[in-house]
Structure formats: C-alpha cells, structure tokens
Amino acid sequence: NAGVTQTPKFQVLKTGQSMTLQCAQDMNHNSMYWYRQDPGMGLRLIYYSASEGTTDKGEVPNGYNVSRLNKREFSLRLESAAPSQTSVYFCASGTGGNSRRYEAFFGQGTRLTVV
Amino acid sequence: GDSVTQMEGPVTLSEEAFLTINCTYTATGYPSLFWYVQYPGEGLQLLLKATKADDKGSNKGFEATYRKETTSFHLEKGSVQVSDSAVYFCALTLNTGNQFYFGTGTSLTVIP
C-alpha cells in the first residue's frame, strides 16, 4: 500500500538554485495537489491538477511550476529558490468528481530549507 | 470566500480528559467537511468526514457533527490518550472536490 510517495524527504538549497519535487500515487486518482505547510498558516494550495493534462493555480503559485506527467505523477519545480520558500511541501491525490465520496490522501512531506 | 476557522492551540490535556476542538466554516455552496490528523514527522491522515448537514463522522473515538445552522464541525473525544497527541486540521471541499480549504491546525498534547 504505497499510496502517495514523495521524494526527497529532506532538501537544503542555496538561494537561486532549482529543484524538482517528485510525487507519485498508485490509487488511480484523477486529482493531484501540491500544498505548502507553514507555522500558523495551515496548508495552502500551490497548484492542483484535476485530471491528466490539466493544471491550475491555487492560492500561492508564485515561484513554482508544475507538470502532470501522467495520471500517476505530479511534480513541483522551484526554478530559483528563495528563503521564503522554506517550508514543508505535501503532495496529495484525491478521488475528485462527486464530492460526497471525496477523499484526499497525503504523502509524507518534503522538508525544504533554502539558505 | 470559502474558508475554515479553527480554534488556536496549543492545547494540553491530561490523559482521560474530554477534548473539544472548535471549527467553523464559510462556504458558498454545500461543502463536505473533514478532520485530518498529523502525527509528528508524518503526512496528514483522514480522521473523519461528513458530507451533508446533520451527518456525524466518527473514528477512533473521535466524533464531529456537521451543523449547518451554526456552520460548525467541532471535533470531540470523550477520553483522550497520550497517543492522540498530534496536530488536527479541519477542512472543507466543495462539490467539485478540486480544492481543499484547511484551517491553521490545532496542536494537541496529552500528558500522562
């Protein structure tokens, strides 16, 4: 039962460096999400993908790009990292569609520090 | 806009005490409501949910009732254990299910 798998778990970047956070799910979900978690802010949506081939901005998209590579994989890229992007990043996937049965499943998170 | 407001923490309780974590919401439609739990160093796990007014979600001794008249979804447990120490998030999603709105989280510590 892998569920949602994120890599890496920890990363330290220097300001201006780039990196890609990887996420894969094995539950055949249509919807996938990237959130960031900051103290006192809860989880804020960065980008989401309602289905393969589509992506949309969430609440805090600036400084990030995403790719929905296929139904399983949804990556998050930081082109030029900034200290303000120090955070814990969570990928999630969800059943989508009819919200009465809706659930979202989260990965273990990536703790990113930008120095 | 759509949002969730939950009780600020941290909350510290003795084992076997009664727990309430308040959550209220604002939504333009008819949301589904959730409580997620995050144990230290882990991702979020679904604790319980309710999809329509007056529904009660329950799991592991936790309960929450979807109250449309007060726009609330308060989390309760009659007798907490040390193993319940975690951060609890209230959340909602609307009909499309394409976006979750989370509260800021409430940290709970249960001491023996």
Side-chain angles (χ1 to χ4, degrees), chain A residues 43-56:
Chain A
L43 276 77
R44 293 181 292 169
L45 183 66
I46 304 171
Y47 271 93
Y48 68 97
S49 170
S51 61
E52 184 179 353
T54 68
T55 60
D56 286 286

PDB file of all heavy atoms in Angstrom, chain A residues 43-56:
ATOM      1  N   LEU A  43      -2.313  24.622   5.797  1.00  0.00           N
ATOM      2  CA  LEU A  43      -1.865  24.177   4.473  1.00  0.00           C
ATOM      3  C   LEU A  43      -2.437  25.117   3.426  1.00  0.00           C
ATOM      4  O   LEU A  43      -3.628  25.414   3.432  1.00  0.00           O
ATOM      5  CB  LEU A  43      -2.346  22.759   4.187  1.00  0.00           C
ATOM      6  CG  LEU A  43      -1.493  21.633   4.740  1.00  0.00           C
ATOM      7  CD1 LEU A  43      -1.740  21.475   6.226  1.00  0.00           C
ATOM      8  CD2 LEU A  43      -1.778  20.335   4.010  1.00  0.00           C
ATOM      9  N   ARG A  44      -1.597  25.525   2.520  1.00  0.00           N
ATOM     10  CA  ARG A  44      -2.038  26.406   1.443  1.00  0.00           C
ATOM     11  C   ARG A  44      -1.765  25.732   0.105  1.00  0.00           C
ATOM     12  O   ARG A  44      -0.673  25.213  -0.128  1.00  0.00           O
ATOM     13  CB  ARG A  44      -1.323  27.756   1.533  1.00  0.00           C
ATOM     14  CG  ARG A  44      -1.720  28.567   2.761  1.00  0.00           C
ATOM     15  CD  ARG A  44      -1.012  29.904   2.789  1.00  0.00           C
ATOM     16  NE  ARG A  44       0.417  29.751   3.004  1.00  0.00           N
ATOM     17  CZ  ARG A  44       1.294  30.735   2.867  1.00  0.00           C
ATOM     18  NH1 ARG A  44       0.889  31.944   2.498  1.00  0.00           N
ATOM     19  NH2 ARG A  44       2.567  30.523   3.097  1.00  0.00           N
ATOM     20  N   LEU A  45      -2.743  25.799  -0.766  1.00  0.00           N
ATOM     21  CA  LEU A  45      -2.655  25.123  -2.050  1.00  0.00           C
ATOM     22  C   LEU A  45      -1.769  25.908  -3.009  1.00  0.00           C
ATOM     23  O   LEU A  45      -1.978  27.099  -3.233  1.00  0.00           O
ATOM     24  CB  LEU A  45      -4.061  24.964  -2.634  1.00  0.00           C
ATOM     25  CG  LEU A  45      -4.169  24.205  -3.949  1.00  0.00           C
ATOM     26  CD1 LEU A  45      -3.773  22.740  -3.755  1.00  0.00           C
ATOM     27  CD2 LEU A  45      -5.589  24.303  -4.486  1.00  0.00           C
ATOM     28  N   ILE A  46      -0.813  25.218  -3.600  1.00  0.00           N
ATOM     29  CA  ILE A  46       0.087  25.859  -4.565  1.00  0.00           C
ATOM     30  C   ILE A  46      -0.470  25.676  -5.983  1.00  0.00           C
ATOM     31  O   ILE A  46      -0.720  26.646  -6.703  1.00  0.00           O
ATOM     32  CB  ILE A  46       1.499  25.246  -4.477  1.00  0.00           C
ATOM     33  CG1 ILE A  46       2.046  25.351  -3.055  1.00  0.00           C
ATOM     34  CG2 ILE A  46       2.444  25.961  -5.456  1.00  0.00           C
ATOM     35  CD1 ILE A  46       3.336  24.573  -2.843  1.00  0.00           C
ATOM     36  N   TYR A  47      -0.639  24.439  -6.384  1.00  0.00           N
ATOM     37  CA  TYR A  47      -1.210  24.081  -7.679  1.00  0.00           C
ATOM     38  C   TYR A  47      -2.013  22.806  -7.511  1.00  0.00           C
ATOM     39  O   TYR A  47      -1.764  22.023  -6.607  1.00  0.00           O
ATOM     40  CB  TYR A  47      -0.108  23.803  -8.715  1.00  0.00           C
ATOM     41  CG  TYR A  47       0.381  24.984  -9.492  1.00  0.00           C
ATOM     42  CD1 TYR A  47       1.485  25.709  -9.060  1.00  0.00           C
ATOM     43  CD2 TYR A  47      -0.236  25.359 -10.688  1.00  0.00           C
ATOM     44  CE1 TYR A  47       1.953  26.801  -9.782  1.00  0.00           C
ATOM     45  CE2 TYR A  47       0.233  26.453 -11.420  1.00  0.00           C
ATOM     46  CZ  TYR A  47       1.327  27.163 -10.955  1.00  0.00           C
ATOM     47  OH  TYR A  47       1.782  28.236 -11.674  1.00  0.00           O
ATOM     48  N   TYR A  48      -2.944  22.610  -8.419  1.00  0.00           N
ATOM     49  CA  TYR A  48      -3.625  21.330  -8.461  1.00  0.00           C
ATOM     50  C   TYR A  48      -3.856  20.912  -9.911  1.00  0.00           C
ATOM     51  O   TYR A  48      -3.754  21.729 -10.835  1.00  0.00           O
ATOM     52  CB  TYR A  48      -4.929  21.357  -7.670  1.00  0.00           C
ATOM     53  CG  TYR A  48      -6.025  22.226  -8.241  1.00  0.00           C
ATOM     54  CD1 TYR A  48      -7.028  21.693  -9.029  1.00  0.00           C
ATOM     55  CD2 TYR A  48      -6.063  23.592  -7.955  1.00  0.00           C
ATOM     56  CE1 TYR A  48      -8.033  22.486  -9.534  1.00  0.00           C
ATOM     57  CE2 TYR A  48      -7.069  24.393  -8.455  1.00  0.00           C
ATOM     58  CZ  TYR A  48      -8.061  23.842  -9.231  1.00  0.00           C
ATOM     59  OH  TYR A  48      -9.062  24.635  -9.730  1.00  0.00           O
ATOM     60  N   SER A  49      -4.152  19.639 -10.052  1.00  0.00           N
ATOM     61  CA  SER A  49      -4.422  19.059 -11.365  1.00  0.00           C
ATOM     62  C   SER A  49      -5.667  18.204 -11.232  1.00  0.00           C
ATOM     63  O   SER A  49      -5.658  17.195 -10.532  1.00  0.00           O
ATOM     64  CB  SER A  49      -3.229  18.215 -11.822  1.00  0.00           C
ATOM     65  OG  SER A  49      -3.566  17.481 -12.977  1.00  0.00           O
ATOM     66  N   ALA A  50      -6.731  18.625 -11.888  1.00  0.00           N
ATOM     67  CA  ALA A  50      -7.995  17.901 -11.779  1.00  0.00           C
ATOM     68  C   ALA A  50      -7.986  16.618 -12.590  1.00  0.00           C
ATOM     69  O   ALA A  50      -8.763  15.700 -12.308  1.00  0.00           O
ATOM     70  CB  ALA A  50      -9.147  18.804 -12.205  1.00  0.00           C
ATOM     71  N   SER A  51      -7.137  16.571 -13.597  1.00  0.00           N
ATOM     72  CA  SER A  51      -7.042  15.356 -14.414  1.00  0.00           C
ATOM     73  C   SER A  51      -5.741  15.418 -15.188  1.00  0.00           C
ATOM     74  O   SER A  51      -5.090  16.468 -15.275  1.00  0.00           O
ATOM     75  CB  SER A  51      -8.231  15.242 -15.373  1.00  0.00           C
ATOM     76  OG  SER A  51      -8.259  16.339 -16.264  1.00  0.00           O
ATOM     77  N   GLU A  52      -5.380  14.305 -15.746  1.00  0.00           N
ATOM     78  CA  GLU A  52      -4.161  14.241 -16.540  1.00  0.00           C
ATOM     79  C   GLU A  52      -4.223  15.278 -17.661  1.00  0.00           C
ATOM     80  O   GLU A  52      -5.232  15.395 -18.351  1.00  0.00           O
ATOM     81  CB  GLU A  52      -4.032  12.833 -17.130  1.00  0.00           C
ATOM     82  CG  GLU A  52      -2.757  12.600 -17.894  1.00  0.00           C
ATOM     83  CD  GLU A  52      -2.687  11.177 -18.429  1.00  0.00           C
ATOM     84  OE1 GLU A  52      -3.564  10.364 -18.083  1.00  0.00           O
ATOM     85  OE2 GLU A  52      -1.752  10.891 -19.200  1.00  0.00           O
ATOM     86  N   GLY A  53      -3.165  16.059 -17.782  1.00  0.00           N
ATOM     87  CA  GLY A  53      -3.109  17.054 -18.845  1.00  0.00           C
ATOM     88  C   GLY A  53      -3.603  18.428 -18.464  1.00  0.00           C
ATOM     89  O   GLY A  53      -3.528  19.357 -19.258  1.00  0.00           O
ATOM     90  N   THR A  54      -4.118  18.589 -17.250  1.00  0.00           N
ATOM     91  CA  THR A  54      -4.593  19.904 -16.807  1.00  0.00           C
ATOM     92  C   THR A  54      -3.939  20.283 -15.491  1.00  0.00           C
ATOM     93  O   THR A  54      -3.709  19.432 -14.634  1.00  0.00           O
ATOM     94  CB  THR A  54      -6.115  19.931 -16.607  1.00  0.00           C
ATOM     95  OG1 THR A  54      -6.459  19.110 -15.488  1.00  0.00           O
ATOM     96  CG2 THR A  54      -6.854  19.428 -17.827  1.00  0.00           C
ATOM     97  N   THR A  55      -3.628  21.578 -15.354  1.00  0.00           N
ATOM     98  CA  THR A  55      -3.133  22.095 -14.085  1.00  0.00           C
ATOM     99  C   THR A  55      -3.744  23.480 -13.859  1.00  0.00           C
ATOM    100  O   THR A  55      -4.042  24.197 -14.827  1.00  0.00           O
ATOM    101  CB  THR A  55      -1.599  22.219 -14.061  1.00  0.00           C
ATOM    102  OG1 THR A  55      -1.179  23.113 -15.091  1.00  0.00           O
ATOM    103  CG2 THR A  55      -0.940  20.864 -14.247  1.00  0.00           C
ATOM    104  N   ASP A  56      -3.903  23.834 -12.593  1.00  0.00           N
ATOM    105  CA  ASP A  56      -4.473  25.134 -12.246  1.00  0.00           C
ATOM    106  C   ASP A  56      -3.780  25.689 -11.028  1.00  0.00           C
ATOM    107  O   ASP A  56      -3.323  24.939 -10.154  1.00  0.00           O
ATOM    108  CB  ASP A  56      -5.971  25.018 -11.955  1.00  0.00           C
ATOM    109  CG  ASP A  56      -6.778  24.821 -13.205  1.00  0.00           C
ATOM    110  OD1 ASP A  56      -6.931  25.805 -13.954  1.00  0.00           O
ATOM    111  OD2 ASP A  56      -7.219  23.685 -13.451  1.00  0.00           O
TER     112      ASP A  56
END
